[in-house]
Short mmCIF file of all heavy atoms in Angstrom, two decimals:
data_model
loop_
_atom_site.label_atom_id
_atom_site.label_comp_id
_atom_site.label_asym_id
_atom_site.label_seq_id
_atom_site.Cartn_x
_atom_site.Cartn_y
_atom_site.Cartn_z
N ARG O 18 0.88 5.24 0.70
CA ARG O 18 0.10 6.20 1.43
C ARG O 18 0.99 7.50 1.69
O ARG O 18 2.15 7.48 1.99
CB ARG O 18 -0.46 5.86 2.76
CG ARG O 18 0.54 5.61 3.76
CD ARG O 18 -0.21 5.20 5.16
NE ARG O 18 0.80 4.96 6.17
CZ ARG O 18 1.29 5.85 6.95
NH1 ARG O 18 0.86 7.10 6.89
NH2 ARG O 18 2.18 5.54 7.95
N PRO O 19 0.39 8.73 1.29
CA PRO O 19 1.22 9.87 1.60
C PRO O 19 1.32 10.14 3.08
O PRO O 19 0.58 9.80 3.89
CB PRO O 19 0.35 11.05 1.02
CG PRO O 19 -0.63 10.37 0.21
CD PRO O 19 -0.79 8.94 0.66
N VAL O 20 2.56 10.56 3.50
CA VAL O 20 2.87 10.77 4.88
C VAL O 20 2.71 12.20 5.36
O VAL O 20 2.02 12.50 6.34
CB VAL O 20 4.33 10.36 5.17
CG1 VAL O 20 4.69 10.52 6.66
CG2 VAL O 20 4.43 8.82 4.89
N SER O 21 3.21 13.17 4.58
CA SER O 21 3.11 14.60 4.91
C SER O 21 3.50 15.42 3.65
O SER O 21 3.71 14.85 2.58
CB SER O 21 4.09 14.87 6.03
OG SER O 21 3.92 16.19 6.40
N ALA O 22 3.47 16.71 3.85
CA ALA O 22 3.81 17.53 2.68
C ALA O 22 4.58 18.79 3.14
O ALA O 22 4.33 19.26 4.32
CB ALA O 22 2.54 17.99 1.98
N PHE O 23 5.50 19.27 2.38
CA PHE O 23 6.20 20.54 2.60
C PHE O 23 5.58 21.59 1.66
O PHE O 23 5.32 21.28 0.49
CB PHE O 23 7.66 20.35 2.40
CG PHE O 23 8.45 19.77 3.48
CD1 PHE O 23 8.72 18.36 3.45
CD2 PHE O 23 8.73 20.62 4.64
CE1 PHE O 23 9.50 17.87 4.55
CE2 PHE O 23 9.45 20.07 5.63
CZ PHE O 23 9.73 18.72 5.57
N ASP O 24 5.47 22.73 2.11
CA ASP O 24 4.95 23.93 1.36
C ASP O 24 6.15 24.42 0.65
O ASP O 24 6.01 24.81 -0.59
CB ASP O 24 4.74 25.02 2.23
CG ASP O 24 3.31 25.39 2.38
OD1 ASP O 24 2.55 24.83 1.47
OD2 ASP O 24 2.96 26.12 3.20
N ARG O 25 7.32 24.34 1.13
CA ARG O 25 8.46 25.02 0.40
C ARG O 25 9.80 24.45 0.93
O ARG O 25 9.93 24.10 2.05
CB ARG O 25 8.39 26.53 0.88
CG ARG O 25 9.23 27.35 0.16
CD ARG O 25 8.94 28.74 0.57
NE ARG O 25 9.94 29.60 -0.25
CZ ARG O 25 9.65 30.68 -0.74
NH1 ARG O 25 8.62 31.42 -0.43
NH2 ARG O 25 10.50 31.28 -1.53
N LEU O 26 10.66 24.15 -0.04
CA LEU O 26 11.98 23.77 0.24
C LEU O 26 12.96 24.84 0.40
O LEU O 26 12.91 25.82 -0.44
CB LEU O 26 12.39 22.72 -0.73
CG LEU O 26 11.63 21.44 -0.90
CD1 LEU O 26 12.20 20.60 -2.00
CD2 LEU O 26 11.68 20.57 0.47
N GLY O 27 13.84 24.85 1.32
CA GLY O 27 14.77 26.07 1.67
C GLY O 27 15.97 26.01 0.68
O GLY O 27 16.63 26.99 0.78
N THR O 28 16.07 25.04 -0.07
CA THR O 28 17.36 25.04 -0.93
C THR O 28 16.98 24.16 -2.22
O THR O 28 16.04 23.57 -2.20
CB THR O 28 18.59 24.40 -0.15
OG1 THR O 28 19.63 24.42 -0.98
CG2 THR O 28 18.26 23.06 0.27
N GLU O 29 17.88 24.26 -3.16
CA GLU O 29 17.62 23.52 -4.42
C GLU O 29 18.50 22.32 -4.63
O GLU O 29 18.41 21.81 -5.63
CB GLU O 29 17.96 24.55 -5.62
CG GLU O 29 16.95 25.76 -5.58
CD GLU O 29 17.25 26.67 -6.78
OE1 GLU O 29 17.83 26.32 -7.77
OE2 GLU O 29 16.87 27.89 -6.62
N THR O 30 19.22 21.83 -3.61
CA THR O 30 20.17 20.81 -3.76
C THR O 30 19.39 19.41 -3.71
O THR O 30 18.43 19.33 -3.04
CB THR O 30 21.36 20.82 -2.72
OG1 THR O 30 20.65 20.48 -1.42
CG2 THR O 30 22.02 22.10 -2.64
N ALA O 31 19.92 18.45 -4.43
CA ALA O 31 19.26 17.20 -4.54
C ALA O 31 19.39 16.50 -3.16
O ALA O 31 18.33 15.86 -2.73
CB ALA O 31 19.92 16.33 -5.51
N PHE O 32 20.46 16.75 -2.43
CA PHE O 32 20.64 16.13 -1.12
C PHE O 32 19.69 16.60 -0.09
O PHE O 32 19.30 15.95 0.82
CB PHE O 32 22.10 16.03 -0.75
CG PHE O 32 23.01 15.21 -1.52
CD1 PHE O 32 23.81 15.78 -2.50
CD2 PHE O 32 22.83 13.89 -1.58
CE1 PHE O 32 24.52 14.99 -3.28
CE2 PHE O 32 23.61 13.02 -2.30
CZ PHE O 32 24.47 13.56 -3.25
#
Side-chain angles (χ1 to χ4, degrees):
R18 67 178 179 90
V20 176
S21 185
F23 276 101
D24 251 348
R25 195 170 179 150
L26 296 175
T28 180
E29 298 179 24
T30 67
F32 292 104

